[in-house]
């Protein structure tokens, strides 16, 4: 991104500079949202509005803007074109129910996409209606904000409005539009789209743009496109390691749902695991467990290989050499991921130093948790509460605990410092499936938003001890894997 021309924000704070619209035409289609019957604000994120340089008091009742009935000043709406590998199969996709309004430049000079999701049909809608139901949009709002509070890179949610229209998903449901804020919506699938069309110039423009926007430090690298690939790999490795460390299961890790910014994107059939089991799958359509918890790192690598493939024409003039360069890069993913995973897991166990035996120590705990069907979040959190560390008097746990204490004694940090580190890396609260469902049911079926508001408040401080919040920390008690989330939202 070249330095943004200084502009004067509108009274509501809108300050758009729409660089994506200036990319080659094959990457987007100019298009306005389709107006809805009766926009009504359901939830507006004041804190996020403020961070974006918007004026929350001026905007919080402007449902018409967040429904797509009125355009904010400076918007240049478009649908983005992209392709993707869905469950392993290549398809042309694109924004079928989303419209990018433009890029908001914040008071500190950062650039964020402002996108409406559920804003009506586009040339990419295929057989879909271009719309979204209230429940799934609130679900994305809750989970993305929870992820943000956990410190995990993610798109965010600025607003949800209802449309006054019905959508049909096996049953009739209230329609809604989510305003999604993202570092960008450039996906692995965006590169696959340009590559599949054999448009090398569009591919080069997109790669140059992505470097400028997300990896400015790599623009001057000797081999910038290889640097882009390895830069994206590094961020994905870190992201997936963070998911693994909180038990987050994305559920639909198709290449169109992998953002080059390194943010978690597209909250469809996702959920947090209760009882620890790497085979846990939530998505109702993921029958083979392709996107199970334990497969996420491998799938990320597979998705990155699709990015590498798309980048081949830019990596070397000779295809054979391009493939060699790409393969070498992709092979390094496992090591990069493990480095991030070990860093995250060490922090969860209060370790400040590195020892060769750490991996075995971590794995031994995970094996025990799996055998005992121990709750992922609560087991780690209870380890960090000195008083409760003997959370279990199972002999194999006692043996593990002694080993862990022994390991902790190798480092010089005081107990308080160790405990602080652990509490900062082991959340007390995550969005428990039944609490999310309870909030969604109250909102969509009874128009009662108070349950969700309370849940959002609790989730905003996940690392704080849970005085009076016990109900948010209890697993649902369902059989593991019984909880299902749905695509086609
Ligand atoms: P997702 O599963 O949300 O990542 O979406 C995959 C693709 O399906 C994207 O191209 C979406 O834009 C499209 N899509 C999902 N739902 C709808 C809908 N209701 N109408 C049109 N397109 C949709
Ligand atoms: Mg998607």
């Amino acid at each position: 991104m070249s330095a943004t021309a200084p502009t004067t924000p509108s009274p509501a704070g809108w300050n758009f500079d729409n660089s994506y619209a200036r990319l080659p035409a094959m990457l987007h289609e100019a298009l306005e949202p389709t107006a809805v019957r009766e926009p009504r604000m359901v939830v507006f994120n004041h804190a996020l509005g403020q961070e974006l340089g918007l004026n929350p008091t001026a905007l919080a009742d402007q449902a018409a803007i967040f429904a797509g009935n009125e355009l904010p000043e400076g918007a240049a709406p478009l649908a983005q074109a992209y392709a993707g590998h869905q469950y392993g199969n290549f398809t042309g996709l694109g924004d079928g129910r989303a419209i990018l309004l433009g890029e908001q430049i914040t008071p500190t000079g950062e650039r964020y996409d402002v996108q409406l999701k559920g804003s009506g049909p586009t040339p990419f809608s295929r057989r879909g209606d271009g719309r979204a139901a209230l429940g799934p949009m609130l679900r994305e709002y809750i989970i993305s904000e929870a992820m943000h509070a956990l410190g995990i890179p993610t798109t965010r949610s600025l607003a949800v409005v209802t449309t006054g229209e019905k959508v049909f998903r096996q049953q009739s449901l209230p329609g809604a539009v989510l305003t999604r804020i993202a570092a960008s919506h450039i996906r692995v699938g965006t590169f696959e789209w340009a590559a599949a069309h054999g448009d090398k110039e569009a591919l080069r423009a997109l790669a140059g743009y992505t470097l400028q926007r997300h990896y400015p430090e790599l623009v001057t690298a000797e081999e910038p496109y290889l640097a882009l690939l390895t830069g994206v790999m590094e961020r994905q490795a870190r992201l997936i390691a963070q998911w693994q460390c909180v038990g987050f299961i994305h559920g639909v890790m198709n290449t169109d749902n992998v953002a080059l910014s390194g943010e978690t994107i597209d909250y469809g059939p996702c959920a947090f695991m209760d009882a620890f089991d790497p085979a846990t799958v939530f998505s109702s359509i993921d029958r083979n467990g392709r996107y199970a918890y334990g497969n996420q790192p491998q799938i990320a690598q597979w998705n990155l290989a699709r990015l590498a493939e798309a980048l081949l024409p830019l990596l070397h003039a000779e295809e054979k050499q391009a493939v060699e360069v790409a393969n070498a890069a992709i092979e390094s993913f496992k090591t990069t991921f493990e480095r991030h995973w070990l860093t995250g897991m060490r922090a969860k166990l209060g370790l400040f130093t590195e020892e060769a035996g750490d991996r075995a120590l971590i794995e031994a705990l995970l094996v025990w948790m799996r055998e005992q069907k121990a709750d992922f979040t609560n087991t780690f959190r209870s380890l960090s509460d000195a008083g409760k560390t003997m959370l279990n008097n199972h002999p194999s746990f006692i043996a593990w605990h002694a080993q862990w204490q022994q390991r902790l004694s190798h480092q010089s940090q005081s107990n308080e410092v160790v405990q602080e580190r652990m509490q900062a890396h082991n959340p007390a609260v995550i969005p428990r499936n039944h609490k999310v469902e309870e909030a969604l049911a109250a909102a969509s079926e009874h128009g009662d938003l108070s349950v969700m508001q309370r849940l959002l408040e609790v989730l905003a401080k996940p690392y704080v001890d849970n005085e009076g919040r016990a109900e948010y920390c209890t697993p649902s008690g369902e059989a593991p894997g019984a909880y299902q989330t749905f695509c086609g939202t």
Side-chain angles (χ1 to χ4, degrees):
M1 227 68 353
S2 49
T4 311
T7 51
T8 316
S10 75
W14 296 111
N15 186 23
F16 282 115
D17 173 61
N18 304 321
S19 61
Y20 204 85
R22 301 194 282 270
L23 281 171
M26 64 98 61
L27 294 169
H28 47 83
E29 300 253 0
L31 179 75
E32 292 194 6
T34 307
V36 302
R37 195 189 306 151
E38 196 191 345
R40 204 168 273 174
M41 188 65 72
V42 177
V43 52
F44 183 84
N45 191 333
H46 286 250
L48 176 58
Q50 211 122 40
E51 279 174 50
L52 292 169
L54 299 173
N55 179 350
T57 32
L59 286 173
D61 61 355
Q62 298 294 305
I65 288 185
F66 300 98
N69 287 26
E70 284 171 25
L71 288 177
E73 217 174 298
L78 59 82
Q80 292 181 325
Y82 52 87
H85 275 84
Q86 300 196 301
Y87 294 89
N89 306 306
F90 184 77
T91 349
L93 296 163
D95 286 333
R97 57 163 170 177
I99 284 191
L100 175 66
L101 292 179
E103 298 146 36
Q104 168 78 2
I105 310 298
T106 71
T108 53
E110 284 172 286
R111 178 182 297 268
Y112 286 99
D113 277 8
V114 180
Q115 191 205 57
L116 300 184
K117 184 169 173 181
S119 51
T122 77
F124 305 107
S125 296
R126 294 167 292 163
R127 260 164 288 163
D129 59 3
R131 293 298 182 190
L134 178 60
M137 295 305 99
L138 289 178
R139 196 163 189 285
E140 170 153 350
Y141 188 108
I142 295 168
I143 311 252
S144 65
E145 289 304 300
M147 291 287 270
H148 172 73
L150 285 164
I152 300 176
T154 176
T155 63
R156 298 197 58 194
S157 300
L158 181 63
V160 174
V161 297
T162 45
T163 59
E165 297 172 9
K166 293 285 178 199
V167 297
F168 297 92
R169 305 282 185 268
Q170 280 124 357
Q171 50 181 319
S172 168
L173 298 167
V177 179
L178 168 78
T179 304
R180 177 157 74 179
I181 305 299
S184 87
H185 287 83
I186 302 168
R187 308 145 189 270
V188 167
T190 317
F191 283 79
E192 292 182 278
W193 172 269
H197 286 78
D199 190 334
K200 191 169 166 184
E201 283 328 298
L203 188 64
R204 192 189 303 280
L206 178 63
Y209 177 87
T210 308
L211 275 164
Q212 287 268 3
R213 188 161 172 180
H214 298 302
Y215 302 86
E217 70 284 3
L218 303 180
V219 167
T220 53
E222 212 164 297
E223 298 193 53
Y225 305 118
L226 178 60
L228 173 62
L229 176 62
T230 52
V232 173
M233 287 175 60
E234 176 74 28
R235 284 195 203 168
Q236 282 295 319
R238 179 163 179 268
L239 178 67
I240 309 302
Q242 287 180 288
W243 291 359
Q244 301 304 88
C245 284
V246 296
F248 175 75
I249 302 171
H250 183 282
V252 58
M253 286 177 72
N254 293 329
T255 57
D256 53 303
N257 294 337
V258 179
L260 269 74
S261 63
E263 289 181 342
T264 311
I265 190 170
D266 265 0
Y267 292 89
C270 61
F272 285 71
M273 179 165 56
D274 289 328
F276 178 67
D277 183 352
T280 307
V281 176
F282 290 111
S283 169
S284 58
I285 63 168
D286 190 2
R287 304 215 184 278
N288 302 316
R290 179 180 170 90
Y291 298 139
Y293 172 83
N295 288 347
Q296 295 190 128
Q298 258 167 273
I299 289 290
Q301 184 181 31
W302 191 90
N303 289 340
L304 289 162
R306 305 291 77 75
L307 175 64
E309 260 166 29
L311 287 170
L312 284 180
L314 304 179
L315 293 179
H316 203 284
E318 301 292 330
E319 194 183 332
K320 192 161 165 270
Q321 269 152 295
V323 170
E324 272 169 31
V325 168
N327 279 342
I330 294 299
E331 265 167 40
S332 70
F333 181 80
K334 193 159 185 269
T335 323
T336 312
F337 168 77
E338 291 198 351
R339 172 165 49 81
H340 287 292
W341 184 81
L342 273 174
T343 302
M345 283 294 176
R346 281 193 176 105
K348 285 175 86 71
L349 291 184
L351 304 182
F352 286 84
T353 54
E354 296 180 10
E355 285 187 17
D358 293 348
R359 162 180 291 281
L361 182 73
I362 297 160
E363 276 170 359
L365 174 63
L366 293 175
V367 165
W368 178 83
M369 284 168 63
R370 181 188 191 162
E371 283 167 5
Q372 300 300 314
K373 300 184 167 51
D375 182 79
F376 186 82
T377 304
N378 291 350
T379 303
F380 277 106
R381 183 70 184 186
S382 56
L383 289 176
S384 47
D385 294 335
K388 282 195 261 161
T389 32
M390 291 307 292
L391 79 171
N392 193 293
N393 51 17
H394 196 272
S396 59
F397 182 79
I398 292 171
W400 179 84
H401 193 267
Q403 267 180 23
W404 175 48
Q405 292 300 312
Q406 176 68 28
R407 171 63 183 86
L408 284 173
S409 73
H410 299 176
Q411 52 186 31
S412 57
Q413 282 76 13
S414 69
N415 285 346
E416 289 81 66
V417 172
V418 167
Q419 189 174 344
E420 242 169 63
R421 181 173 180 75
M422 292 185 67
Q423 291 192 339
H425 288 88
N426 293 306
V429 269
I430 48 153
R432 297 271 177 189
N433 305 322
H434 61 294
K435 297 308 283 181
V436 174
E437 291 308 321
E438 182 186 280
L440 297 184
S444 343
E445 288 160 30
H446 312 292
D448 171 8
L449 300 171
S450 65
V451 184
M452 181 180 71
Q453 290 298 356
R454 172 80 183 124
L455 177 62
L456 287 169
E457 274 167 38
V458 172
L459 293 173
K461 293 188 176 138
Y463 297 105
V464 175
D465 248 327
N466 43 26
E467 297 288 310
R469 306 195 296 172
E471 62 173 300
Y472 297 93
C473 304
T474 318
S476 73
E478 274 172 333
Y483 185 75
Q484 285 203 329
T485 53
F486 293 88
C487 272
T489 50

